[in-house]
Amino acid sequence: MNNWSISLANLQKSHFSSQKHIFVEINEFLKQPQTVIAHAFLQKFAEVTPQYPGVRAPLPQEVCEAWLEQLSPVLEETFPPTQPTSPNAGKARWAMQGWYSIVTTAPEQLQPIQRLPHVDGTDPDQIALMLYLHTTQHGGTAFFRHKSTGLEALTQDSYPRYAAALQQDVKRSGLPPAAYTTSGEPHFERTHAAPGTFNQAVLYRGNILHSGVISNSDPLPADPKTGRLTINAFLRREAPQE
């Protein structure tokens, strides 16, 4: 797994917005990024979910396990659980699932759900990782506040209120045009954005409203070398052993 080795030497932690969301940036994340990109050429990309506007291929599970050896201490320190844990619980273990991803859908072909910021789920203890492996004019990841509710992150409790308010927003002013969201208008406002520089990884709680920063005027090829190639992953604590 040496070709997949990572470095945490350039790790920075910060917060964004008045709600103080935790944000981690790791520059020069992969020691050999070109080797990983070459591996992407060998994968069979396919449309996986109706929400993602492009194609994906699974990341080898052995890679996820290798990365977790270094990432787990950072995750444990930086993203404490939002729910209380048993004082008798053992040391936390983390699980990870990841994919190569390439945005390929033309703006005019976007479905309504793809024109809006989204969350990866309503569990604040699911952590998202994005690794940018492209040199296109497309950007990184932006984060948003929903104007009519003030919500920036969704939980199981707040989601019904958000969904009802968004439905009313759309009734009043209509859906956004068929384009990738940039500023978030008219229903959202941007609170932060990761630049998405080459070989930069970012970590954040997956229930924060976010969207890829995609140019609406630049091409979106499916080629891993010339397209907007990223690796995205979800990381979760496994149930600790009592």
Side-chain angles (χ1 to χ4, degrees):
M1 300 304 297
N2 288 340
N3 291 341
W4 291 83
S5 295
I6 63 174
S7 171
L8 307 185
N10 296 300
L11 184 150
Q12 292 186 333
K13 302 176 186 179
S14 61
H15 296 81
F16 67 88
S17 98
S18 60
Q19 297 186 17
K20 300 295 183 183
H21 301 296
I22 303 169
F23 189 68
V24 176
E25 294 176 83
I26 312 171
N27 292 317
E28 300 177 23
F29 181 76
L30 288 169
K31 293 183 178 179
Q32 298 184 46
Q34 296 300 337
T35 301
V36 176
I37 294 170
H39 182 265
F41 277 92
L42 306 177
Q43 309 311 303
K44 293 183 178 180
F45 285 81
E47 294 183 8
V48 177
T49 67
Q51 290 82 17
Y52 185 73
V55 293
R56 285 178 164 164
L59 195 66
Q61 192 57 37
E62 58 266 29
V63 172
C64 296
E65 296 297 328
W67 288 6
L68 279 174
E69 288 188 21
Q70 290 177 256
L71 288 173
S72 291
V74 174
L75 294 165
E76 195 63 25
E77 177 185 349
T78 309
F79 297 98
T82 59
Q83 299 297 322
T85 57
S86 168
N88 298 321
K91 183 179 179 182
R93 285 180 52 84
W94 286 78
M96 174 178 167
Q97 187 175 17
W99 300 265
Y100 290 108
S101 301
I102 308 175
V103 174
T104 58
T105 303
E108 64 272 13
Q109 296 176 347
L110 291 173
Q111 299 298 314
I113 194 174
Q114 296 170 331
R115 308 174 199 171
L116 299 165
H118 65 279
V119 296
D120 300 322
T122 56
D123 182 0
D125 291 326
Q126 177 172 271
I127 309 305
L129 180 149
M130 285 290 297
L131 170 61
Y132 309 101
L133 293 174
H134 65 93
T135 56
T136 70
Q137 295 302 307
H138 303 289
T141 302
F143 301 87
F144 298 89
R145 176 185 300 114
H146 181 229
K147 290 182 178 180
S148 63
T149 62
L151 291 169
E152 298 180 11
L154 305 182
T155 64
Q156 186 175 3
D157 291 338
S158 65
Y159 180 80
R161 176 165 65 95
Y162 164 79
L166 182 59
Q167 188 175 42
Q168 290 302 312
D169 291 341
V170 171
K171 283 184 178 179
R172 283 193 301 269
S173 55
L175 284 166
Y180 288 98
T181 185
T182 52
S183 66
E185 295 294 338
H187 309 307
F188 300 82
E189 57 185 340
R190 185 191 285 200
T191 60
H192 185 64
T197 54
F198 180 75
N199 201 19
Q200 177 188 64
V202 298
L203 294 155
Y204 53 90
R205 295 191 188 272
N207 71 325
I208 303 172
L209 286 160
H210 61 279
S211 182
V213 180
I214 312 297
S215 168
N216 286 293
S217 58
D218 286 289
L220 290 165
D223 185 333
K225 188 172 183 179
T226 59
R228 187 184 182 272
L229 176 66
T230 61
I231 287 176
N232 69 298
F234 300 136
L235 305 102
R236 299 179 61 91
R237 287 179 182 83
E238 294 181 324
Q241 299 295 319
E242 295 286 345

